Amino acid sequence: MQAMIRRLLNPQRCARSFHTTSRVMAAKDMTVRDALNSAMDEEMARDPTVFVMGEEVGDYQGAYKVTRGLIQKYGPERVIDTPITEIGFTGMGVGASMGGLKPIVEFMTFNFSMQAIDHIINSAAKINYMSAGDIPCPIVFRGPNGPAASVAAQHSQCFASWYGHCPGLKVVSPFDSEDARGLLKAAIRDPNPVVFLENELLYGNTFQLSDEAQSPDFVIPIGKAKIMRPGTDVTIVAFSRMVQMALEAAEKLAQEGISAE
């Protein structure tokens, strides 16, 4: 790890406006898993200081195959398989970030991030403030969060509220493929620590990816709401997998003559 480091050395409620390009491409379908993978791939190609580390992210291609193909393309120095020690590899990632690199730290589940909570809360989130801006900490902590299917109590908690109440962290929880791709790219480029909460049950879901979202320059600003469906009578607010539930509820309300945003 040390050798690798030496070598690499106000939320607004509004619809998003996306970057446009002169390319002419058709919209295409993409799974959330592939959207996340493509975002990391493009950011690693764009910036040699970006690297991925975590349990089984390399040779096994990721526990949920989100890092599939990255080790073959970028090698073991930038896609690092770690031992099963969240407190260890998270601390190494935070240190690498302070040293000028941009780590993407994958937790097999965010429940296991509790093993590394001191590094995330007391080091990554606080060092920029405590150093009077001299030591930024550009790092992404990502992985599945919240309940899934048959994964039992120690894999089922949602930590969005926990991390959302900690000063110094940005917390992101995408829903569809466009969210996943644009927000992960924004998180990787952000100079601050970002907690990126995915949902295991969404990985295999397919959504349409617009022409704009296929661009390597596509980035969604962190902190802006996205209006998935316009409405005039009532507003439903949700994030992650619950966006789908909210859209289904809006459909049922429409059958009763209620226009839900």
Side-chain angles (χ1 to χ4, degrees), residues 11 21 33 47 52 58 112 180 189 194 210:
T21 72
R33 175 185 291 109
D47 186 345
V52 180
F112 300 158
R189 298 184 190 190
V194 180
S210 67

Side-chain angles (χ1 to χ4, degrees), residues 106-183:
E106 177 179 306
F107 294 116
M108 196 175 292
T109 164
F110 257 93
N111 295 266
F112 300 158
S113 73
M114 296 297 98
Q115 301 287 336
I117 197 71
D118 185 63
H119 291 307
I120 299 170
I121 302 303
N122 286 327
S123 294
K126 304 297 188 295
I127 189 62
N128 192 39
Y129 172 79
M130 294 177 68
S131 67
D134 287 340
I135 307 176
C137 191
I139 186 170
V140 176
F141 305 102
R142 55 154 296 270
N145 169 72
S150 305
V151 293
Q154 292 181 335
H155 296 66
S156 299
Q157 297 179 99
C158 175
F159 294 95
S161 179
W162 284 41
Y163 285 119
H165 280 80
C166 296
L169 295 176
K170 293 185 178 182
V171 182
V172 178
S173 190
F175 165 56
D176 58 18
S177 299
E178 202 159 277
D179 281 349
R181 181 170 158 78
L183 287 170

Side-chain angles (χ1 to χ4, degrees), residues 24-25 65 76 92 100 102 131 133 142 152 156 168 174 194 197 202 208 210 216 220-221 231 236 245 251 255 259:
V24 177
M25 295 177 62
K65 309 309 175 189
M92 293 171 70
K102 296 179 181 178
S131 67
R142 55 154 296 270
S156 299
V194 180
L197 304 172
L202 290 175
Q208 192 171 80
S210 67
I220 295 176
I236 304 173
M245 310 300 178
E251 286 289 344
Q255 296 171 11
S259 175

Side-chain angles (χ1 to χ4, degrees), residues 199-231:
N199 186 281
E200 179 185 339
L201 296 176
L202 290 175
Y203 282 144
N205 287 14
T206 299
F207 298 92
Q208 192 171 80
L209 206 64
S210 67
D211 175 25
E212 289 87 355
Q214 296 173 52
S215 167
D217 299 322
F218 176 70
V219 175
I220 295 176
I222 294 175
K224 288 189 176 182
K226 180 180 180 180
I227 299 175
M228 302 291 292
R229 173 191 177 118

Side-chain angles (χ1 to χ4, degrees), residues 27-40:
K28 70 175 183 178
D29 291 340
M30 181 178 286
T31 64
V32 171
R33 175 185 291 109
D34 289 341
L36 294 166
N37 179 272
S38 68
M40 287 188 286

